[in-house]
Each structure stands twice: as C-alpha cells, then as structure tokens.
Amino acid sequence: MSGRSAYEPVVLQITGMTCAACAARIEKVVGRIDGVEEISVNLALERATVALDESKVPLGRVIEKIIQLGFGATKQQMAAEDNHEAEQREFRRLQRTVLLSLLLTLPFVWAMAGHHGLSHAIWVPELLLNPYFQLLLATPIQFVIGFPFYVRAFQALRNFSANMDVLVVLGTSTAYFYSHYLTMRVSSMAAGEHSMHEMSMPLYFDSSAMILTIVLIGKWLEARAKQSTRSQLQQLHLLQAKTARVLRGSEELVVPAAEVRSGDMLVVRPGEKVPADGEIVEGRALVDESMISGESVPVEKKPGDAVTGGTVNQNGVLTIRSTKVGKETLVAGMIRLLEQAQSSKAPIQRLADKISGVFVPVVVGAAIATFFLWYLWLSPGVEGDALEKAIAVMLISCPCALGLATPTSILVGTGRAATLGILFKEGKTLERLSSADTIVLDKTGTLTTGRPEVTDVMAVDRSKEAFLRLVASAERYSEHPFGKAIVGRAAIDGITLSECSRFQIVAGRGVQAEVEGSDVWIGSSAWMQELGISLGLHQDRMQRLAKQGKSVLHVATGGKWIGAVALSDSIRTTSSQAVRRLQQQHGLEVVMATGDRQAAADAIAKRAGISSVYAERLPEEKLLLVQSLQARGRKVVMVGDGINDAPALAAADIGIAVRSGTELTQAAADIVLLRGDLNSIADAMRVSRKTIYNIRQNFAFSFCYNLVAIPFAAAGFMAPWMACTAMALSSVTVVCNALRLRRA
C-alpha cells in the first residue's frame, strides 16, 4: 500500500465574492459535504483550495454547490497569461461601470453643494433639485448598474446567509424607495400651491446613487491594489520562455516552449531565454542567473554545466540537452510553491473567519435598533431622519477590511520573499517562523559550500591510483558532496572508473557497493567499528587529520581496512555574517548539528561563530535533538540539504531546505532557499515577522474602525454617503498597508 491520501487538493477560481462573509459561507457549506476533508477560500486571490476524495464526492458536485450559493466556480486550469488577461478584462469592465455611475452621480454632488455652508454660494440649477429629475438619474444607477448587487444579495439570502451585497441592497433600496414614495405622494396632492413646498422635503435619491457609486469606486481601487500585490507572481510567469529552438535532425525549429520534451536538443542564441532546465552540450556563454542567485554578475557556462530555464544567454550560442521541462522546471516549481503559499490560510485568520460569519446579521440588527432608537426617542416620528441613521450603520460596517487583513498581507509577504529567493510552501509557515527562537544548522552544504575537495589519499597494499579507482567507482552513484568530490578527483587524475553494482546508501554511516567483484564499504570510523573492522596502526594519523578539521572516510573491502580519503569543506563566505544576524537581529539561539567528526565540526563552528555544536549525529539522533529542544519549549527551525536531514526537517516546527539539497529534503521542508547564502534565512525571518506585524496592524485597524464607526454612525454624525466612503476606504487602506511589505 502506497500510503498516499485519497484526498487530493484542487484549486478553484471563485467569482462573485464581495467580503469575508462570502468566503466564510463557502467554507462552511462546502466543508459539510461528505468527502470534502478541507476547504480554504482566499478572498484576495478569489481562489479556493479544496481537498476532497472524488470517490465519495465528484468535483462537479462541489462546483455545483458553490454556484448554488450564488458564486461562480471553475477548476483553475487556464494558463497564467489567460488568467491575467481575464482579470484585465474584468478590471476594464469595472472601470467602465464606475465611469458611467460617476457620470450619473455628478449632478447629485452638484445639487448637494447648496446644502453646505462652505459651498452654498455655488449656483445650482433648479432642474437638479427637481425630484422627478433625481428619480430619472437614480433609477438606472439603482437597477441597471446596481443589478449585480441585487442578484448576489438574493442568492445569499436564498441560502440563509448575508454578505456585503445584502447591506448595500438594504441601504440603497430603503433610501431609493422611501424617496420614491415621497415623490409619488407629492405628485398626488391636489393643492398646487402646496406642491412646491412639499416637493422641497428631504429626499434620499442622492444617498442611494452615491452609495452605489462609492462602493464601485472602492471595488475599483481595491482591484487595482490587488493587481499590485500579485506582481511578484506575474514576474515569475514572465521569466518563462514562450518559444524554444529545437533541433529535429539537422533542422532547427521554433516551437512553443510547452512542446519541449525531456531530452530535446535546444539552441539558445544571445539575448534569448533558456526555455527549460538542462545541461550544456556545446558552446560557451555568459548567462544572467540573477533571477535565481540574486547576483547581477553573469556566470560563465561551458559544456557539462547545468542551466536553469528562464535565465538569459548574454553572448555566444549554446546547445542544451533539456532535462526538466514544463511543470518540472525550477521556475515552474517556484510558481507552484508561491501560488500554494498565497492560497493557503494562516492560523491567525481563524478569528476573522469566526467574526465574519456572524458580522452581517449583527450589523442588520444594529441598524434596525438604530432606526427605532431615533424614530421612537431621539427624533420621534421623523422616519426619514431615523432611516438615514440606520442606513449609515449598515453601510459603514461591512467586513471587507477584516476579510482582506490576512490574505493580502500573506500574498505580498510571500511574493516579496520569492524575489529574495525564499519559497514558503504555506502561508501558515510565515506565522510559525515569526515565533521561532532556536535554529539548528546542518554543516555540510549548509554552513559550508558543500563542495569539499580531496586533500589526502592513504592506501594500504595497493597504489594510490588503484585505490582511488576503487573508491571513486563505489561512489559514482552517490549524491553526497563527499562522493561527488572523490569522483571529481578521479576525473582530474584521468582515472577510468570500473562498473559498480548493488550500490546502497547507509544513512548516517556511508555507502556500500560491489566493485570489481569485491564488496566495498566507505564511511566513518564508527561504522568501521560496527562492522568489526580495525584501523590497525594508522589511527594516530587519522586523528591528526581530524584535528585539522578534515573529514576522513575509511575504506574497507573483504572485511579489511585498506585505506582512507580525507576531505576538506570550506565555510561559505557569508555564513558567519548570517549567523551574527540570526543571533543579534532576531535573537535566535543558533545550534550546529552534523554527522561529521567533532574536530571538523568544532573548526567550522568556531569560524561561523556558533558555540553549541552537536557532532557525529546520525539522522535519528538529529531528529532526537530537534525533539529534545521542542520538549524544552523551544520553537525550532531546522536547516539542511542532505537526505539525512529529512527526518529532522519534517519534525521541526519549521524545516528549511537549501536548493542544492535532495528532492526528499525539499519535500520534507516548509521553506526552500534558492540561494546558498544563509543570509536568506535571516531575510526569511525578517519578512515573516514584518508580515505578521502587518497582519496585526490590519486586524487592529479593522476592529478599531468598526468599534468606532458603528457608534459614530448610530449617533447621527455621519451621512450615508460618508459612511459608504469610510467603508470603501477601510478596505483600500488595508490593501495599501499590505503593499508596504514589498519594500521589506
């Protein structure tokens, strides 16, 4: 049995959501369907991630249920460019609607000038004060431009829920129909001499028109701000090449990049993007890899070097054999992880979800109470005055800002992190990382370059060349940096490798294989002791090499020790700076855990500025170290790149894998660093803490806004159009505050 879960996540594009109550309603209803394990709706991205078992419930039923709730739902399968174009079309349509509504509302704004002290001197045409003319202007705004609000409000009420559209429809319809009633009552009066006097009574056509217009303007501003929040994701999509030059026999064909297959021979000319991840077969060139490494200086590439899709060939002609195409490329993986992080929901959002679920009914109740308070006591019998206060309460307290507080900040925060080469897999990782207090760093490939060099070769009973051939042949399939270094040394010395069979990695100990008909064991001295293999008279020399900070791999065959290889791995130039940042700027306790010998570990730790060192740790012992720190109440971050780090990465509160690590390591991690520079960890901490602080700012603003605004409106200090303006600006303020994270 594979152990694979039957629940598969599916991403749906949702349309028609207007506030947090909409998202909460979808989650509540769909989450009850048998076969749906989990659903997370992201208001900012207008997207839902549904984990379901299609053997119990087909995806079509989930989509049908969302449509019944009054929203649009489709499986997200369009290309990024198509999605972007669809968003642009919707934005332009909204822009046209706003302009039309604004044009019809301007006469009301002009007419209002005569009612205010500062602008009473402005001439107002008599026509603009005529109730029939106002009715003529307000009707298309209310029922043509405002028709989508009625549709969404009806669908929400039909499903026993309430959202922002319900508030808008209740408020504007009340103002419109009450004004319509007054106008018709005046027209039915027979006494002509009283008609003009009656017709001068306060009407609220201007309120209904301005409310709808301001809501639309707010939506337009919000949509424009949201486009800015998605810019990092769009930039990643733009990195991907649109076409590729593929060699078919002797012919060079230009095909869409999506048609490139693994193993194709690609030609990349100067100024062109590399269309897929691959290996250079022919040619030399400078390649701009700044989108991955962050370094502006181009890297010289030659045959045998790996290249990444999306990087730019600056000079020379390259022939590349594609190794990873389509969704397997690095850039596609970056896009996938970024979309996944931006679509997920942080735990901090739970409070907002609970409040949003009951917010609208509570607001409607508050508006009704406000009406009766004014009608019965504060302004007895004056229904127009009481109605105006109730409408203001309904309109000022929409939960839009509350719903946007978390997802918008996560959207921008994860996007900013991506530009720094930091990929968060889920939004909740941002929250967990901000509270971390201990970081455990692997040594080889993390603190060090991971590119060790062979410094000493000691052979017994055979020549160094024969010994190195045996060792390199046994290591030829190894992905460990030590194994690669040994194979590389053999290549430099011109040694031809022998066939290797029954290759096996023994985690935390070494490798074993069959070479030239003999079983070969390569690994630590502790493993040799476990195997019952004695080092003979050479232990003193091994200890001297270890004290120099070198890593010693012992070699045995036929149950006998036959020699050793010493390797030295240099510390990354930025490791000590990164450790200082983690300690001083973020207050983290930095620990090093490695499977290497104590002497080698101490030498690297001293140069990096780390005092807590745990050496000679097997994978299960690294796991136990993480668990022991957690048992002491520590929030642990584990950073590693090797397969032996995967268990500890999975157990830690946050696991961070460097890009050079194995696929298993990256799969077990919560964060992937595209750059080897450990300053990326400090950058991730900074982005995380700033994002959570930004979310708390948004929450504080949203809560305080409603706590102050609702009593303010109920007390009669705010006209409906002013309340609507405040509501729209609250959402825009939250989005703009989140956009500040782009400069983090």
Side-chain angles (χ1 to χ4, degrees), residues 149-260:
F149 290 95
Y150 280 92
V151 172
R152 293 191 294 264
F154 171 74
Q155 290 170 332
L157 293 173
R158 186 183 63 181
N159 289 283
F160 306 102
S161 66
N163 56 14
M164 187 196 81
D165 296 304
V166 173
L167 295 179
V168 171
V169 167
L170 280 175
T172 59
S173 297
T174 302
Y176 176 87
F177 285 112
Y178 180 67
S179 300
H180 184 275
Y181 161 74
L182 291 179
T183 301
M184 294 302 104
R185 190 179 73 173
V186 167
S187 66
S188 65
M189 290 182 178
E193 65 274 16
H194 298 293
S195 296
M196 294 303 297
H197 172 72
E198 293 291 341
M199 289 176 71
S200 66
M201 68 176 61
L203 299 176
Y204 299 96
F205 287 124
D206 55 351
S207 293
S208 66
M210 292 182 68
I211 287 167
L212 285 169
T213 302
I214 291 170
V215 169
L216 288 170
I217 291 174
K219 283 183 172 295
W220 177 76
L221 290 173
E222 188 180 308
R224 187 174 181 183
K226 282 180 182 178
Q227 286 183 339
S228 298
T229 67
R230 298 171 185 168
S231 60
Q232 287 89 357
L233 191 56
Q234 292 165 2
Q235 288 171 10
L236 284 178
H237 281 295
L238 292 174
L239 288 177
Q240 296 175 303
K242 299 295 187 294
T243 60
R245 300 179 187 275
V246 183
L247 289 176
R248 306 290 191 202
S250 59
E251 190 176 0
E252 183 181 306
L253 302 177
V254 178
V255 301
E259 295 182 9
V260 174

Side-chain angles (χ1 to χ4, degrees), residues 573-694:
T573 56
T574 55
S575 289
S576 58
Q577 179 194 28
V579 169
R580 283 197 304 273
R581 286 183 63 192
L582 291 169
Q583 293 170 334
Q584 297 172 9
Q585 295 181 12
H586 301 293
L588 294 176
E589 178 185 350
V590 181
V591 175
M592 187 176 81
T594 177
D596 208 347
R597 293 182 60 82
Q598 189 70 52
D602 288 339
I604 295 296
K606 183 177 181 180
R607 294 179 61 186
I610 300 173
S611 56
S612 298
V613 181
Y614 297 85
E616 300 180 42
R617 296 277 167 152
L618 299 175
E620 55 268 29
E621 291 174 326
K622 288 185 180 181
L623 171 61
L624 290 173
L625 171 63
V626 169
Q627 291 174 335
S628 67
L629 290 169
Q630 291 172 324
R632 287 158 43 193
R634 312 293 291 182
K635 300 294 183 183
V636 182
V637 179
M638 174 69 197
V639 186
D641 74 321
I643 191 171
N644 58 333
D645 298 318
L649 285 169
D653 295 280
I654 303 99
I656 300 180
V658 296
R659 181 194 167 202
S660 59
T662 65
E663 291 186 6
L664 177 61
T665 308
Q666 295 184 20
D670 302 296
I671 302 170
V672 177
L673 305 181
L674 298 180
R675 301 168 189 170
D677 186 351
L678 290 191
N679 278 299
S680 293
I681 303 174
D683 293 337
M685 287 293 305
R686 183 170 176 80
V687 170
S688 170
R689 291 181 175 178
K690 279 188 169 291
T691 300
I692 297 304
Y693 182 68
N694 189 272

Side-chain angles (χ1 to χ4, degrees), residues 462 465-471 473-474 495-501 513-520 557:
R462 67 189 68 196
E465 181 180 345
F467 175 75
L468 194 56
R469 176 184 293 108
L470 179 72
V471 178
S473 298
I495 296 174
T496 303
L497 302 186
S498 304
E499 287 299 319
C500 170
S501 61
E514 182 180 327
V515 179
E516 299 174 358
S518 301
D519 289 328
V520 180
T557 182

Side-chain angles (χ1 to χ4, degrees), residues 114-177:
H115 300 300
H116 297 279
L118 295 176
S119 58
H120 70 280
I122 297 176
W123 172 72
V124 178
E126 191 70 26
L127 176 65
L128 299 185
L129 302 176
N130 187 296
Y132 297 107
F133 182 73
Q134 291 189 1
L135 175 64
L136 182 67
L137 290 176
T139 299
I141 298 176
Q142 187 71 34
F143 299 110
V144 179
I145 294 174
F147 180 72
F149 290 95
Y150 280 92
V151 172
R152 293 191 294 264
F154 171 74
Q155 290 170 332
L157 293 173
R158 186 183 63 181
N159 289 283
F160 306 102
S161 66
N163 56 14
M164 187 196 81
D165 296 304
V166 173
L167 295 179
V168 171
V169 167
L170 280 175
T172 59
S173 297
T174 302
Y176 176 87
F177 285 112

